[in-house]
Amino acid sequence: MEVDPQASSRVPGMSRQVVRSSKFRHVFGQPAKADQCYEDVRVSQNTWDSGFCAVNPKFVALICEASGGGAFLVLPLGKTGRVDKNVPMVCGHTAPVLDIAWCPHNDNVIASGSEDCSVMVWEIPDGGLTLPLREPVVTLEGHTKRVGIVAWHPTAQNVLLSAGCDNVILVWDVGTGAAVLTLGSDVHPDTIYSVDWSRDGALICTSCRDKRVRIIEPRKGTIVAEKDRPHEGTRPVRAVFVSDGKILTTGFSRMSERQVALWDTKHLEEPLSLQELDTSSGVLLPFFDPDTNIVYLCGKGDSSIRYFEITSEAPFLHYLSMFSSKESQRGMGYMPKRGLEVNKCEIARFYKLHERKCEPIAMTVPRKSDLFQEDLYPPTAGPDAALTAEEWLGGRDAGPLLISLKDGYVPPKSRELRVNRGLDTGRKRTAPEASGAPSSDAISQLEEEMRKLQATVQELQKRLDRLEETVQAK
């Protein structure tokens, strides 16, 4: 006896066989109105496969076309509308900027990688720039070819990763301006397409032109696991960590169809899920939200954003829906959860780059109530670092320090990024001490006292969070 699928969806107890129950099934994208966009910005024409945009609760940053060097634009989030053609920019690089990333622990600090082989870290004043910014807080020099990827450690203070076209990954302690870890061309024999930190920053996941995806312990320099040819095609693969020890890859089939695949890092022989999407040529940029287990796929040159939900049971990767618009995207920025409007049930926000415009797109779960929806907003990563750079380098790992969004998020006051250029933890100084300057021993002692104070403050914050959770539970 055959069962009519439509009839079975109406029979109590049989609906799960037809439609999977999910609170995110009806998530929809809503582009911002014209007066909430950033108009008249000359978005970079570079063909490099990065998002060209980075956002946080204070600022939006866009890589722009610039004559005579590399520049990017930083605007306060609320400064929407037409952008003055003479607006001051960050313009310290001598060649085009390829990637930018905001520090997760300081909303005023941004890193940039450029074709001039350098990485620069900048401090943006509250309220934005009033004059062009040419002097970075620190310049990190160590790559011999252009730097196409920069990525901050998710939980350790002042730890920054950069990957260059010299096939080298460097991990920097921005506080000292020193490269503290190097993964050389013996690890990646060809161009590195993507790098992603795990949620606690213990591992990195990389994709390379040699058609291999690697999971690496950066402090030991060892490859924990690797997969050869996760996708059969020749075009670039990208890989990101998702929940429960899994990774998600985007790539192309042998027939040049775009694919998305989910893998268990302990068993990389076969994918948990492999889905073919379409025949477009643009590389898919994946953005994963660990709070909702939704992954968003944004293709460069596409006019759509697809989103999938990841679950712990087969078939693991569930297609939810797709946001479509008329104009294609040159790049994409992704807002951290603490920058969203929780009273509107907004679970993600993208900043889509057009040729001359940046357009915010809100992803929303339709709910009738305007009360705080706890099931949509579990505690999320806050702006405080869980570890110092020294603690992480010493072998400690920690997940992000979580905050509740119940009463909305209020950004902390701007924190100054302090760089001790004279200090280098990787090697001893041989130059004599400058007259009148404090000795390296005195500085080390002060640093040790500051670390202890930071640890005490973090412990008190954790206790306060636990106390608040107890009070809320009661």
Side-chain angles (χ1 to χ4, degrees):
M1 173 183 169
E2 290 186 6
V3 178
D4 174 15
Q6 290 183 339
S8 66
S9 69
R10 294 191 293 269
V11 177
M14 293 187 69
S15 60
R16 288 187 184 176
Q17 297 173 12
V18 179
V19 179
R20 189 181 67 87
S21 174
S22 170
K23 60 192 167 196
F24 302 115
R25 214 174 73 215
H26 302 292
V27 170
F28 67 96
Q30 183 73 40
K33 294 177 181 175
D35 62 342
Q36 294 301 307
C37 296
Y38 306 87
E39 303 271 2
D40 258 12
V41 290
R42 293 181 301 151
V43 176
S44 172
Q45 304 279 332
N46 202 299
T47 56
W48 186 254
D49 286 326
S50 80
F52 290 165
C53 179
V55 291
N56 68 20
K58 285 187 178 181
F59 300 102
V60 55
L62 325 165
I63 300 176
C64 298
E65 284 291 295
S67 56
F72 61 96
L73 178 64
V74 177
L75 296 169
L77 213 58
K79 198 172 181 179
T80 54
R82 192 171 297 278
V83 177
D84 190 324
K85 64 179 181 180
N86 297 318
V87 66
M89 295 209 272
V90 181
C91 49
H93 286 286
T94 56
V97 177
L98 299 180
D99 197 19
I100 49 178
W102 288 105
C103 176
H105 309 122
N106 190 332
D107 287 342
N108 295 71
V109 171
I110 188 169
S112 57
S114 166
E115 286 190 8
D116 65 11
C117 308
S118 72
V119 177
M120 293 183 179
V121 179
W122 311 85
E123 193 158 20
I124 310 298
D126 281 337
L129 300 176
T130 54
L131 294 169
L133 185 58
R134 294 186 173 87
E135 287 298 320
V137 178
V138 61
T139 301
L140 307 173
E141 295 177 322
H143 288 285
T144 57
K145 291 186 179 177
R146 59 183 180 166
V147 181
I149 299 169
V150 288
W152 291 90
H153 193 288
T155 61
Q157 187 85 37
N158 288 347
V159 176
L160 177 68
L161 175 150
S162 62
C165 291
D166 50 6
N167 314 335
V168 172
I169 290 177
L170 295 174
V171 178
W172 307 86
D173 181 348
V174 175
T176 63
V180 289
L181 298 170
T182 303
L183 299 172
S185 52
D186 54 326
V187 179
H188 297 96
D190 213 326
T191 304
I192 300 160
Y193 286 141
S194 72
V195 182
D196 186 53
W197 289 98
S198 62
R199 188 160 161 79
D200 64 355
L203 302 169
I204 59 172
C205 176
T206 68
S207 61
C208 180
R209 196 173 183 175
D210 69 354
K211 299 182 174 59
R212 288 177 180 266
V213 167
R214 297 170 174 84
I215 297 163
I216 301 166
E217 212 292 14
R219 288 165 296 196
K220 296 177 182 175
T222 55
I223 298 172
V224 177
E226 66 180 322
K227 173 64 183 174
D228 188 26
R229 301 186 78 92
H231 301 275
E232 292 292 327
T234 56
R235 289 185 55 73
V237 169
R238 297 184 81 89
V240 293
F241 279 104
V242 294
S243 51
D244 302 326
K246 299 183 182 77
I247 58 170
L248 181 131
T249 60
T250 60
F252 294 80
S253 70
R254 194 168 290 175
M255 304 301 291
S256 293
E257 292 176 305
R258 292 198 295 192
Q259 297 177 324
V260 56
L262 188 68
W263 307 82
D264 184 345
T265 54
K266 296 185 178 69
H267 308 285
L268 287 170
E269 299 82 22
E270 293 293 328
L272 296 171
S273 176
L274 177 65
Q275 298 186 28
E276 292 191 343
L277 303 176
D278 56 27
T279 54
S280 291
S281 60
V283 173
L284 287 165
L285 308 178
F287 297 91
F288 176 64
D289 178 1
D291 299 337
T292 58
N293 281 326
I294 295 178
V295 65
Y296 302 87
L297 303 183
C298 309
K300 293 201 77 168
D302 287 12
S303 56
S304 61
I305 302 171
R306 289 179 176 84
Y307 34 108
F308 298 77
E309 187 176 0
I310 298 171
T311 59
S312 56
E313 297 173 357
F316 302 106
L317 189 63
H318 307 269
Y319 174 74
L320 289 173
S321 189
M322 179 168 67
F323 165 81
S324 295
S325 57
K326 292 179 182 177
E327 294 185 68
S328 61
Q329 54 227 20
R330 289 183 174 272
M332 195 69 79
Y334 180 64
M335 175 66 80
K337 189 62 65 74
R338 54 197 172 88
L340 303 181
E341 293 192 53
V342 295
N343 60 333
K344 295 183 179 177
C345 296
E346 184 184 29
I347 60 166
R349 192 189 308 152
F350 290 92
Y351 285 71
K352 173 180 172 177
L353 300 187
H354 300 245
E355 189 174 353
R356 303 275 301 185
K357 181 173 80 171
C358 175
E359 175 186 44
I361 298 168
M363 295 290 178
T364 306
V365 177
R367 294 272 172 98
K368 291 180 180 177
S369 173
D370 57 358
L371 297 174
F372 180 73
Q373 307 289 310
E374 294 205 26
D375 61 323
L376 298 183
Y377 302 102
T380 192
D384 293 314
L387 301 169
T388 63
E390 291 82 2
E391 288 171 335
W392 180 75
L393 289 165
R396 281 188 60 186
D397 292 316
L401 298 179
L402 304 180
I403 59 170
S404 170
L405 297 177
K406 187 167 186 176
D407 300 316
Y409 172 72
V410 179
K413 292 180 181 177
S414 59
R415 313 167 182 180
E416 186 183 355
L417 174 64
R418 298 191 177 182
V419 177
N420 300 314
R421 290 183 179 79
L423 293 173
D424 187 337
T425 54
R427 53 187 180 271
K428 292 181 181 177
R429 288 169 62 183
T430 54
E433 297 290 338
S435 61
S439 68
S440 59
D441 289 340
I443 294 172
S444 299
Q445 192 173 350
L446 284 169
E447 281 194 321
E448 185 60 33
E449 288 175 10
M450 189 175 289
R451 280 196 293 272
K452 287 177 181 176
L453 281 170
Q454 285 175 338
T456 306
V457 170
Q458 287 173 3
E459 183 59 32
L460 287 169
Q461 184 64 49
K462 287 178 187 175
R463 289 184 189 176
L464 187 60
D465 290 344
R466 285 198 292 268
L467 189 61
E468 285 178 352
E469 286 171 6
T470 307
V471 171
Q472 287 173 5
K474 288 182 178 178

PDB file of all heavy atoms in Angstrom, residues 211 229-237 250-260 274-280 284:
ATOM      1  N   LYS A 211      45.408  20.200  -3.093  1.00  0.00           N
ATOM      2  CA  LYS A 211      44.146  19.454  -2.991  1.00  0.00           C
ATOM      3  C   LYS A 211      44.017  18.679  -1.673  1.00  0.00           C
ATOM      4  O   LYS A 211      43.278  17.697  -1.592  1.00  0.00           O
ATOM      5  CB  LYS A 211      43.958  18.506  -4.184  1.00  0.00           C
ATOM      6  CG  LYS A 211      43.914  19.228  -5.525  1.00  0.00           C
ATOM      7  CD  LYS A 211      43.688  18.268  -6.671  1.00  0.00           C
ATOM      8  CE  LYS A 211      43.503  19.015  -7.980  1.00  0.00           C
ATOM      9  NZ  LYS A 211      44.649  19.856  -8.335  1.00  0.00           N
ATOM     10  N   ARG A 229      42.003  15.354  -1.606  1.00  0.00           N
ATOM     11  CA  ARG A 229      40.910  15.562  -2.564  1.00  0.00           C
ATOM     12  C   ARG A 229      39.523  15.413  -1.916  1.00  0.00           C
ATOM     13  O   ARG A 229      38.769  14.494  -2.249  1.00  0.00           O
ATOM     14  CB  ARG A 229      41.046  14.587  -3.740  1.00  0.00           C
ATOM     15  CG  ARG A 229      42.345  14.718  -4.503  1.00  0.00           C
ATOM     16  CD  ARG A 229      42.343  13.834  -5.730  1.00  0.00           C
ATOM     17  NE  ARG A 229      41.552  14.442  -6.793  1.00  0.00           N
ATOM     18  CZ  ARG A 229      42.078  15.245  -7.733  1.00  0.00           C
ATOM     19  NH1 ARG A 229      43.362  15.547  -7.710  1.00  0.00           N
ATOM     20  NH2 ARG A 229      41.303  15.768  -8.669  1.00  0.00           N
ATOM     21  N   PRO A 230      39.177  16.294  -0.992  1.00  0.00           N
ATOM     22  CA  PRO A 230      37.810  16.255  -0.455  1.00  0.00           C
ATOM     23  C   PRO A 230      36.769  16.549  -1.542  1.00  0.00           C
ATOM     24  O   PRO A 230      35.623  16.129  -1.438  1.00  0.00           O
ATOM     25  CB  PRO A 230      37.816  17.347   0.615  1.00  0.00           C
ATOM     26  CG  PRO A 230      38.926  18.254   0.231  1.00  0.00           C
ATOM     27  CD  PRO A 230      39.960  17.399  -0.422  1.00  0.00           C
ATOM     28  N   HIS A 231      37.204  17.281  -2.576  1.00  0.00           N
ATOM     29  CA  HIS A 231      36.373  17.522  -3.762  1.00  0.00           C
ATOM     30  C   HIS A 231      37.240  17.246  -4.981  1.00  0.00           C
ATOM     31  O   HIS A 231      38.413  17.602  -5.014  1.00  0.00           O
ATOM     32  CB  HIS A 231      35.847  18.959  -3.777  1.00  0.00           C
ATOM     33  CG  HIS A 231      35.013  19.307  -2.575  1.00  0.00           C
ATOM     34  ND1 HIS A 231      33.672  19.044  -2.493  1.00  0.00           N
ATOM     35  CD2 HIS A 231      35.352  19.874  -1.388  1.00  0.00           C
ATOM     36  CE1 HIS A 231      33.208  19.432  -1.318  1.00  0.00           C
ATOM     37  NE2 HIS A 231      34.212  19.944  -0.633  1.00  0.00           N
ATOM     38  N   GLU A 232      36.648  16.629  -6.001  1.00  0.00           N
ATOM     39  CA  GLU A 232      37.425  16.148  -7.144  1.00  0.00           C
ATOM     40  C   GLU A 232      37.881  17.258  -8.087  1.00  0.00           C
ATOM     41  O   GLU A 232      38.819  17.086  -8.851  1.00  0.00           O
ATOM     42  CB  GLU A 232      36.607  15.114  -7.937  1.00  0.00           C
ATOM     43  CG  GLU A 232      36.381  13.803  -7.187  1.00  0.00           C
ATOM     44  CD  GLU A 232      37.669  13.015  -7.000  1.00  0.00           C
ATOM     45  OE1 GLU A 232      38.544  13.086  -7.880  1.00  0.00           O
ATOM     46  OE2 GLU A 232      37.804  12.349  -5.964  1.00  0.00           O
ATOM     47  N   GLY A 233      37.199  18.389  -8.056  1.00  0.00           N
ATOM     48  CA  GLY A 233      37.503  19.460  -9.010  1.00  0.00           C
ATOM     49  C   GLY A 233      38.846  20.132  -8.744  1.00  0.00           C
ATOM     50  O   GLY A 233      39.493  19.918  -7.708  1.00  0.00           O
ATOM     51  N   THR A 234      39.254  20.975  -9.696  1.00  0.00           N
ATOM     52  CA  THR A 234      40.570  21.626  -9.601  1.00  0.00           C
ATOM     53  C   THR A 234      40.493  23.010  -8.969  1.00  0.00           C
ATOM     54  O   THR A 234      41.516  23.566  -8.591  1.00  0.00           O
ATOM     55  CB  THR A 234      41.180  21.771 -11.010  1.00  0.00           C
ATOM     56  OG1 THR A 234      40.264  22.489 -11.842  1.00  0.00           O
ATOM     57  CG2 THR A 234      41.443  20.404 -11.623  1.00  0.00           C
ATOM     58  N   ARG A 235      39.287  23.563  -8.832  1.00  0.00           N
ATOM     59  CA  ARG A 235      39.174  24.920  -8.308  1.00  0.00           C
ATOM     60  C   ARG A 235      39.328  24.932  -6.786  1.00  0.00           C
ATOM     61  O   ARG A 235      39.247  23.897  -6.133  1.00  0.00           O
ATOM     62  CB  ARG A 235      37.842  25.540  -8.742  1.00  0.00           C
ATOM     63  CG  ARG A 235      37.832  25.860 -10.243  1.00  0.00           C
ATOM     64  CD  ARG A 235      36.581  26.579 -10.667  1.00  0.00           C
ATOM     65  NE  ARG A 235      36.314  27.791  -9.914  1.00  0.00           N
ATOM     66  CZ  ARG A 235      36.982  28.936 -10.029  1.00  0.00           C
ATOM     67  NH1 ARG A 235      37.992  29.015 -10.865  1.00  0.00           N
ATOM     68  NH2 ARG A 235      36.657  29.990  -9.312  1.00  0.00           N
ATOM     69  N   PRO A 236      39.534  26.129  -6.179  1.00  0.00           N
ATOM     70  CA  PRO A 236      39.870  26.186  -4.744  1.00  0.00           C
ATOM     71  C   PRO A 236      38.820  25.567  -3.816  1.00  0.00           C
ATOM     72  O   PRO A 236      37.621  25.661  -4.045  1.00  0.00           O
ATOM     73  CB  PRO A 236      39.982  27.696  -4.477  1.00  0.00           C
ATOM     74  CG  PRO A 236      40.353  28.279  -5.796  1.00  0.00           C
ATOM     75  CD  PRO A 236      39.660  27.458  -6.825  1.00  0.00           C
ATOM     76  N   VAL A 237      39.343  24.930  -2.767  1.00  0.00           N
ATOM     77  CA  VAL A 237      38.525  24.365  -1.679  1.00  0.00           C
ATOM     78  C   VAL A 237      38.678  25.266  -0.467  1.00  0.00           C
ATOM     79  O   VAL A 237      39.761  25.813  -0.223  1.00  0.00           O
ATOM     80  CB  VAL A 237      38.996  22.928  -1.341  1.00  0.00           C
ATOM     81  CG1 VAL A 237      38.362  22.425  -0.047  1.00  0.00           C
ATOM     82  CG2 VAL A 237      38.678  21.986  -2.486  1.00  0.00           C
ATOM     83  N   THR A 250      33.879  23.419   1.138  1.00  0.00           N
ATOM     84  CA  THR A 250      33.195  23.792  -0.104  1.00  0.00           C
ATOM     85  C   THR A 250      34.198  23.657  -1.239  1.00  0.00           C
ATOM     86  O   THR A 250      35.380  23.988  -1.074  1.00  0.00           O
ATOM     87  CB  THR A 250      32.653  25.235  -0.058  1.00  0.00           C
ATOM     88  OG1 THR A 250      33.757  26.147   0.140  1.00  0.00           O
ATOM     89  CG2 THR A 250      31.654  25.405   1.074  1.00  0.00           C
ATOM     90  N   GLY A 251      33.726  23.142  -2.370  1.00  0.00           N
ATOM     91  CA  GLY A 251      34.623  22.935  -3.496  1.00  0.00           C
ATOM     92  C   GLY A 251      33.836  22.620  -4.746  1.00  0.00           C
ATOM     93  O   GLY A 251      32.662  22.993  -4.871  1.00  0.00           O
ATOM     94  N   PHE A 252      34.481  21.909  -5.676  1.00  0.00           N
ATOM     95  CA  PHE A 252      33.888  21.651  -6.991  1.00  0.00           C
ATOM     96  C   PHE A 252      34.058  20.174  -7.347  1.00  0.00           C
ATOM     97  O   PHE A 252      35.057  19.548  -6.993  1.00  0.00           O
ATOM     98  CB  PHE A 252      34.578  22.515  -8.049  1.00  0.00           C
ATOM     99  CG  PHE A 252      34.346  23.992  -7.868  1.00  0.00           C
ATOM    100  CD1 PHE A 252      35.072  24.715  -6.927  1.00  0.00           C
ATOM    101  CD2 PHE A 252      33.397  24.663  -8.617  1.00  0.00           C
ATOM    102  CE1 PHE A 252      34.865  26.073  -6.740  1.00  0.00           C
ATOM    103  CE2 PHE A 252      33.181  26.024  -8.447  1.00  0.00           C
ATOM    104  CZ  PHE A 252      33.915  26.718  -7.506  1.00  0.00           C
ATOM    105  N   SER A 253      33.066  19.659  -8.067  1.00  0.00           N
ATOM    106  CA  SER A 253      33.155  18.282  -8.545  1.00  0.00           C
ATOM    107  C   SER A 253      34.015  18.246  -9.805  1.00  0.00           C
ATOM    108  O   SER A 253      34.439  19.284 -10.323  1.00  0.00           O
ATOM    109  CB  SER A 253      31.762  17.734  -8.866  1.00  0.00           C
ATOM    110  OG  SER A 253      31.242  18.368 -10.035  1.00  0.00           O
ATOM    111  N   ARG A 254      34.234  17.038 -10.322  1.00  0.00           N
ATOM    112  CA  ARG A 254      35.023  16.904 -11.545  1.00  0.00           C
ATOM    113  C   ARG A 254      34.336  17.587 -12.730  1.00  0.00           C
ATOM    114  O   ARG A 254      34.985  18.040 -13.669  1.00  0.00           O
ATOM    115  CB  ARG A 254      35.227  15.407 -11.833  1.00  0.00           C
ATOM    116  CG  ARG A 254      36.293  15.128 -12.869  1.00  0.00           C
ATOM    117  CD  ARG A 254      36.649  13.660 -12.881  1.00  0.00           C
ATOM    118  NE  ARG A 254      37.377  13.280 -11.683  1.00  0.00           N
ATOM    119  CZ  ARG A 254      37.723  12.022 -11.401  1.00  0.00           C
ATOM    120  NH1 ARG A 254      37.386  11.047 -12.218  1.00  0.00           N
ATOM    121  NH2 ARG A 254      38.392  11.744 -10.304  1.00  0.00           N
ATOM    122  N   MET A 255      32.999  17.670 -12.659  1.00  0.00           N
ATOM    123  CA  MET A 255      32.233  18.323 -13.721  1.00  0.00           C
ATOM    124  C   MET A 255      32.002  19.812 -13.411  1.00  0.00           C
ATOM    125  O   MET A 255      31.116  20.450 -13.960  1.00  0.00           O
ATOM    126  CB  MET A 255      30.875  17.628 -13.886  1.00  0.00           C
ATOM    127  CG  MET A 255      30.978  16.144 -14.166  1.00  0.00           C
ATOM    128  SD  MET A 255      31.903  15.773 -15.666  1.00  0.00           S
ATOM    129  CE  MET A 255      30.776  16.390 -16.897  1.00  0.00           C
ATOM    130  N   SER A 256      32.787  20.360 -12.486  1.00  0.00           N
ATOM    131  CA  SER A 256      32.747  21.780 -12.097  1.00  0.00           C
ATOM    132  C   SER A 256      31.428  22.195 -11.458  1.00  0.00           C
ATOM    133  O   SER A 256      31.036  23.359 -11.527  1.00  0.00           O
ATOM    134  CB  SER A 256      33.041  22.688 -13.305  1.00  0.00           C
ATOM    135  OG  SER A 256      34.369  22.508 -13.711  1.00  0.00           O
ATOM    136  N   GLU A 257      30.742  21.263 -10.812  1.00  0.00           N
ATOM    137  CA  GLU A 257      29.566  21.625 -10.019  1.00  0.00           C
ATOM    138  C   GLU A 257      30.020  21.961  -8.614  1.00  0.00           C
ATOM    139  O   GLU A 257      30.877  21.282  -8.039  1.00  0.00           O
ATOM    140  CB  GLU A 257      28.577  20.452  -9.975  1.00  0.00           C
ATOM    141  CG  GLU A 257      27.928  20.147 -11.309  1.00  0.00           C
ATOM    142  CD  GLU A 257      27.042  18.920 -11.230  1.00  0.00           C
ATOM    143  OE1 GLU A 257      27.563  17.853 -10.801  1.00  0.00           O
ATOM    144  OE2 GLU A 257      25.859  19.009 -11.572  1.00  0.00           O
ATOM    145  N   ARG A 258      29.432  23.010  -8.047  1.00  0.00           N
ATOM    146  CA  ARG A 258      29.821  23.399  -6.685  1.00  0.00           C
ATOM    147  C   ARG A 258      29.248  22.405  -5.674  1.00  0.00           C
ATOM    148  O   ARG A 258      28.100  21.960  -5.799  1.00  0.00           O
ATOM    149  CB  ARG A 258      29.342  24.818  -6.380  1.00  0.00           C
ATOM    150  CG  ARG A 258      30.073  25.851  -7.199  1.00  0.00           C
ATOM    151  CD  ARG A 258      29.947  27.231  -6.620  1.00  0.00           C
ATOM    152  NE  ARG A 258      28.582  27.734  -6.635  1.00  0.00           N
ATOM    153  CZ  ARG A 258      28.259  29.002  -6.393  1.00  0.00           C
ATOM    154  NH1 ARG A 258      29.224  29.873  -6.135  1.00  0.00           N
ATOM    155  NH2 ARG A 258      27.007  29.396  -6.425  1.00  0.00           N
ATOM    156  N   GLN A 259      30.051  22.094  -4.656  1.00  0.00           N
ATOM    157  CA  GLN A 259      29.658  21.114  -3.653  1.00  0.00           C
ATOM    158  C   GLN A 259      29.900  21.653  -2.245  1.00  0.00           C
ATOM    159  O   GLN A 259      30.758  22.518  -2.029  1.00  0.00           O
ATOM    160  CB  GLN A 259      30.482  19.817  -3.810  1.00  0.00           C
ATOM    161  CG  GLN A 259      30.283  19.088  -5.110  1.00  0.00           C
ATOM    162  CD  GLN A 259      31.191  17.871  -5.215  1.00  0.00           C
ATOM    163  OE1 GLN A 259      32.334  17.893  -4.759  1.00  0.00           O
ATOM    164  NE2 GLN A 259      30.682  16.793  -5.814  1.00  0.00           N
ATOM    165  N   VAL A 260      29.152  21.092  -1.295  1.00  0.00           N
ATOM    166  CA  VAL A 260      29.417  21.325   0.123  1.00  0.00           C
ATOM    167  C   VAL A 260      29.455  19.949   0.778  1.00  0.00           C
ATOM    168  O   VAL A 260      28.639  19.070   0.475  1.00  0.00           O
ATOM    169  CB  VAL A 260      28.338  22.246   0.758  1.00  0.00           C
ATOM    170  CG1 VAL A 260      26.935  21.685   0.566  1.00  0.00           C
ATOM    171  CG2 VAL A 260      28.621  22.460   2.235  1.00  0.00           C
ATOM    172  N   LEU A 274      27.471  14.922   1.456  1.00  0.00           N
ATOM    173  CA  LEU A 274      28.020  15.601   0.291  1.00  0.00           C
ATOM    174  C   LEU A 274      26.856  16.022  -0.596  1.00  0.00           C
ATOM    175  O   LEU A 274      26.066  15.182  -1.015  1.00  0.00           O
ATOM    176  CB  LEU A 274      28.967  14.683  -0.488  1.00  0.00           C
ATOM    177  CG  LEU A 274      29.550  15.246  -1.784  1.00  0.00           C
ATOM    178  CD1 LEU A 274      30.464  16.436  -1.510  1.00  0.00           C
ATOM    179  CD2 LEU A 274      30.311  14.174  -2.554  1.00  0.00           C
ATOM    180  N   GLN A 275      26.745  17.328  -0.834  1.00  0.00           N
ATOM    181  CA  GLN A 275      25.622  17.822  -1.633  1.00  0.00           C
ATOM    182  C   GLN A 275      26.134  18.673  -2.783  1.00  0.00           C
ATOM    183  O   GLN A 275      27.037  19.500  -2.592  1.00  0.00           O
ATOM    184  CB  GLN A 275      24.666  18.647  -0.760  1.00  0.00           C
ATOM    185  CG  GLN A 275      24.030  17.850   0.360  1.00  0.00           C
ATOM    186  CD  GLN A 275      22.980  18.644   1.118  1.00  0.00           C
ATOM    187  OE1 GLN A 275      22.353  19.548   0.582  1.00  0.00           O
ATOM    188  NE2 GLN A 275      22.776  18.296   2.381  1.00  0.00           N
ATOM    189  N   GLU A 276      25.553  18.467  -3.957  1.00  0.00           N
ATOM    190  CA  GLU A 276      25.886  19.292  -5.113  1.00  0.00           C
ATOM    191  C   GLU A 276      24.885  20.442  -5.194  1.00  0.00           C
ATOM    192  O   GLU A 276      23.689  20.259  -4.954  1.00  0.00           O
ATOM    193  CB  GLU A 276      25.857  18.453  -6.390  1.00  0.00           C
ATOM    194  CG  GLU A 276      26.987  17.430  -6.401  1.00  0.00           C
ATOM    195  CD  GLU A 276      27.168  16.749  -7.745  1.00  0.00           C
ATOM    196  OE1 GLU A 276      26.234  16.836  -8.563  1.00  0.00           O
ATOM    197  OE2 GLU A 276      28.229  16.153  -7.954  1.00  0.00           O
ATOM    198  N   LEU A 277      25.388  21.633  -5.523  1.00  0.00           N
ATOM    199  CA  LEU A 277      24.549  22.832  -5.460  1.00  0.00           C
ATOM    200  C   LEU A 277      24.177  23.366  -6.830  1.00  0.00           C
ATOM    201  O   LEU A 277      23.015  23.462  -7.171  1.00  0.00           O
ATOM    202  CB  LEU A 277      25.271  23.913  -4.641  1.00  0.00           C
ATOM    203  CG  LEU A 277      25.675  23.502  -3.209  1.00  0.00           C
ATOM    204  CD1 LEU A 277      26.471  24.618  -2.543  1.00  0.00           C
ATOM    205  CD2 LEU A 277      24.451  23.160  -2.390  1.00  0.00           C
ATOM    206  N   ASP A 278      25.169  23.758  -7.629  1.00  0.00           N
ATOM    207  CA  ASP A 278      24.898  24.345  -8.941  1.00  0.00           C
ATOM    208  C   ASP A 278      26.175  24.330  -9.758  1.00  0.00           C
ATOM    209  O   ASP A 278      27.174  23.725  -9.351  1.00  0.00           O
ATOM    210  CB  ASP A 278      24.342  25.771  -8.793  1.00  0.00           C
ATOM    211  CG  ASP A 278      25.273  26.669  -7.979  1.00  0.00           C
ATOM    212  OD1 ASP A 278      26.486  26.408  -7.983  1.00  0.00           O
ATOM    213  OD2 ASP A 278      24.785  27.635  -7.356  1.00  0.00           O
ATOM    214  N   THR A 279      26.155  25.008 -10.894  1.00  0.00           N
ATOM    215  CA  THR A 279      27.336  24.999 -11.768  1.00  0.00           C
ATOM    216  C   THR A 279      28.013  26.368 -11.854  1.00  0.00           C
ATOM    217  O   THR A 279      28.727  26.644 -12.805  1.00  0.00           O
ATOM    218  CB  THR A 279      26.941  24.544 -13.189  1.00  0.00           C
ATOM    219  OG1 THR A 279      25.862  25.368 -13.645  1.00  0.00           O
ATOM    220  CG2 THR A 279      26.520  23.093 -13.201  1.00  0.00           C
ATOM    221  N   SER A 280      27.797  27.241 -10.883  1.00  0.00           N
ATOM    222  CA  SER A 280      28.472  28.545 -10.893  1.00  0.00           C
ATOM    223  C   SER A 280      29.973  28.368 -10.651  1.00  0.00           C
ATOM    224  O   SER A 280      30.421  27.353 -10.116  1.00  0.00           O
ATOM    225  CB  SER A 280      27.896  29.450  -9.803  1.00  0.00           C
ATOM    226  OG  SER A 280      26.582  29.833 -10.124  1.00  0.00           O
ATOM    227  N   LEU A 284      32.760  29.416  -2.925  1.00  0.00           N
ATOM    228  CA  LEU A 284      31.802  29.582  -1.832  1.00  0.00           C
ATOM    229  C   LEU A 284      32.529  29.888  -0.531  1.00  0.00           C
ATOM    230  O   LEU A 284      33.414  29.133  -0.109  1.00  0.00           O
ATOM    231  CB  LEU A 284      30.967  28.307  -1.665  1.00  0.00           C
ATOM    232  CG  LEU A 284      29.915  28.044  -2.749  1.00  0.00           C
ATOM    233  CD1 LEU A 284      29.425  26.604  -2.680  1.00  0.00           C
ATOM    234  CD2 LEU A 284      28.741  29.002  -2.603  1.00  0.00           C
TER     235      LEU A 284
END
